[in-house]
Amino acid sequence: MYKQRGQIVEHPFGTIKRHWGYTYFLTRGLESVGTETSLICLAYNFKRVIKIIGVKELIRLLRDRAPLKSNMHDVYLSKIA
């Protein structure tokens, strides 16, 4: 199990630390560090998605989903008002 974990989990952390240079946190406090970690992981995941499916396909997928989110947002705002 440890060997499998090393193959799956250690690669992203190694990439973030070695290639991107994030060896320490720029913020202090548990909430701030958690937010910083989430943003770094989001950037890593976006880079992976772009590498796998490409920029054009990612933009197309995001555009296809945009109307769904705006409609949900409008419904939520109409219930509040």
Side-chain angles (χ1 to χ4, degrees):
M1 286 177 67
Y2 185 77
K3 188 175 184 178
Q4 184 180 11
R5 177 187 170 271
Q7 293 173 349
I8 296 170
V9 175
E10 297 299 327
H11 183 266
F13 291 115
T15 300
I16 289 168
K17 285 179 72 174
R18 297 263 173 128
H19 295 288
W20 294 5
Y22 285 107
T23 55
Y24 60 91
F25 293 105
L26 301 173
T27 58
R28 297 292 172 254
L30 190 58
E31 187 175 349
S32 295
V33 168
T35 302
E36 188 176 348
T37 303
S38 295
L39 289 172
I40 292 169
C41 291
L42 179 66
Y44 177 84
N45 288 334
F46 265 121
K47 283 189 79 160
R48 292 286 296 144
V49 168
I50 289 170
K51 185 84 169 175
I52 293 169
I53 67 172
V55 175
K56 289 182 181 180
E57 181 65 14
L58 177 61
I59 291 172
R60 187 190 68 74
L61 290 170
L62 291 173
R63 281 190 181 147
D64 289 347
R65 292 200 40 101
L68 295 174
K69 289 195 176 233
S70 67
N71 288 340
M72 288 173 34
H73 189 341
D74 293 339
V75 168
Y76 180 73
L77 289 177
S78 66
K79 286 184 180 180
I80 292 174

